Amino acid sequence: KPAFKTAVKAEDFLEADPYWDQSTVPLNTYKNKSPFTGKVVSTKRIVGPKATGETCHIIIDHEGEFPYWEGQSWGVIPPGTREKDGKPHSVRLYSIASSRYGDDMTGKTGSLCVRRATYWCPELQAEDPAKKGICSNFLCDTTPGSEITMTGPTGKVMLLPEEDPATDYIMVATGTGIAPYRGFIRRLFVEETPAAAAYKGEAWLFLGVANSDALLYDDEWQSVLEKYPDNFRLDYALSREQQNKDGGKMYIQDKVEEYADEIFSKLDNGAHIYFCGLKGMMPGIQEMLKGVAESKGLDYDAWLKGLKSKKQWHVEVY
């Protein structure tokens, strides 16, 4: 039976006491040896025709047996065995793209944002199906009722520190790295949670994708922007449609750099900054931040060490 039947008045039944206390965050409830079986509620392509690649939003029913918090990941073990040695596939981690209450707000579903991994063979001038990503293709091909073998939840790196409701959050994503921030933004602005009622800070989202068709969840961000213009900000870096200040492609670090002064001063005042996406995003970002720090007469390594020691720096890349 679908998880969408339950009507809920407010989203307050999955909260710690007090709601910001992280001592009870669920961790590794299900392990490789005794995984959980989730059932797909829906799988939907969420990018336009000119997007680079195919990205899907997959809602999974966990019957309330697999709780998690925003910023955590679920592990997925794709079906079948490895070609090279006949062993089961290893687990793949995906950041959860919904709040702990799920898209239907019943507390019984969770969502993933997955890009289908394909391999373009330069010799064949075509995609080589033998080299496509096993797990991402399995997930994007699921249909309602498909079973998914899952582990987790894992991770405490990307959790929101909610004790001070005036904390500013700076969220930097490339592609499907948007997932954890969708959970954050739904929690802070869309749901009737204690966190949302208390929040007085500014949540600033930077998303880098190739073009407008590749934007993820834009309609959701626009609706939050309309309702909370003083607490939510949104900036896109569209590498194939925009130019940076030097006339080159606009990558995520170029867009963040446009606001460097403001971001550095927010961080000085205790803001938390998050990075999520492909690991190739970090060198360009670090190089840009280092240049800005030096232009301000700061020792970059010491500055970064300071942020890390105050737990203001959160990175989850893959």
Side-chain angles (χ1 to χ4, degrees), residues 77-183:
I77 303 173
T81 53
R82 297 196 301 208
E83 231 168 80
K84 60 176 183 189
D85 56 13
K87 290 186 172 155
H89 289 294
S90 54
V91 68
R92 274 69 163 176
L93 294 179
Y94 293 91
S95 295
I96 301 170
S98 49
S99 79
R100 66 190 72 181
Y101 294 98
D103 291 353
D104 61 348
M105 298 190 193
T106 60
K108 295 179 182 175
T109 67
S111 304
L112 299 179
C113 176
V114 180
R115 176 169 165 175
R116 198 186 277 278
T118 51
Y119 176 78
W120 179 262
C121 175
E123 285 167 22
L124 295 173
Q125 284 296 303
E127 279 178 6
D128 182 349
K131 291 186 177 167
K132 66 182 187 185
I134 298 212
C135 199
S136 62
N137 282 274
F138 159 68
L139 287 169
C140 290
D141 288 337
T142 54
T143 53
S146 294
E147 294 193 340
I148 299 185
T149 304
M150 303 167 68
T151 64
T154 61
K156 291 177 88 165
V157 171
M158 298 291 279
L159 297 175
L160 279 179
E162 296 179 321
E163 195 164 352
D164 176 1
T167 304
D168 286 343
Y169 303 124
I170 302 160
M171 304 166 277
V172 183
T174 53
T176 57
I178 194 74
Y181 310 142
R182 183 172 181 269

Side-chain angles (χ1 to χ4, degrees), residues 293 298-310:
L298 296 166
D299 172 337
Y300 176 68
D301 295 331
W303 175 80
L304 184 57
K305 201 174 167 185
L307 288 180
K308 288 178 177 173
S309 73
K310 294 188 198 116

